[in-house]
Amino acid sequence: MPSDLPDSMTAMVLTGFGGPERLELRRDVPVPEPGPDEVLVRVAASSVNNTDINTRIGWYAAEPGRPDEDDGPGWSGDAPAFPRIQGADACGRIVAVGAATDPRRI
């Protein structure tokens, strides 16, 4: 990764299923390194959408104690791992690329 990138970043971290109290502002989250076919985006703006809210409240995961037909996870597959950083709606600039990604993307 470029040497001018910081080691840590600020992020809103979801710590588990629940209400907004399960969101934690952290300033010590390690900056991820992009995989071979990935890019790293320095986010300039982001928003919360219904998918973020539904994930936070556990709508996509099986409810504890609810008898599902196959007794497995919710309709979307495995339950999400926590802590996690949400936010599919974001914009910013590409600041690093993985080994198999064209560096001209930066």
Side-chain angles (χ1 to χ4, degrees):
M1 279 203 314
S3 60
D4 61 335
L5 293 179
D7 294 328
S8 62
M9 64 183 191
T10 300
M12 187 62 75
V13 178
L14 179 60
T15 61
F17 294 129
E21 72 279 358
R22 298 307 306 257
L23 295 166
E24 188 177 296
L25 181 63
R26 303 257 320 263
R27 298 185 190 284
D28 61 348
V29 176
V31 172
E33 189 160 331
D37 297 316
E38 297 177 338
V39 299
L40 178 65
V41 175
R42 178 173 287 159
V43 175
S46 65
S47 67
V48 176
N49 65 29
N50 62 328
T51 300
D52 296 320
I53 294 168
N54 290 335
T55 299
R56 176 179 43 80
I57 65 174
W59 191 74
Y60 297 130
E63 296 175 30
R66 187 186 77 201
D68 288 346
E69 288 181 19
D70 64 356
D71 206 31
W75 66 268
S76 64
D78 295 334
F82 299 106
R84 72 182 300 111
I85 299 170
Q86 295 183 276
D89 293 341
C91 67
R93 297 183 74 82
I94 296 173
V95 293
V97 297
T101 305
D102 188 338
R104 292 179 295 179
R105 305 262 334 246
I106 297 176

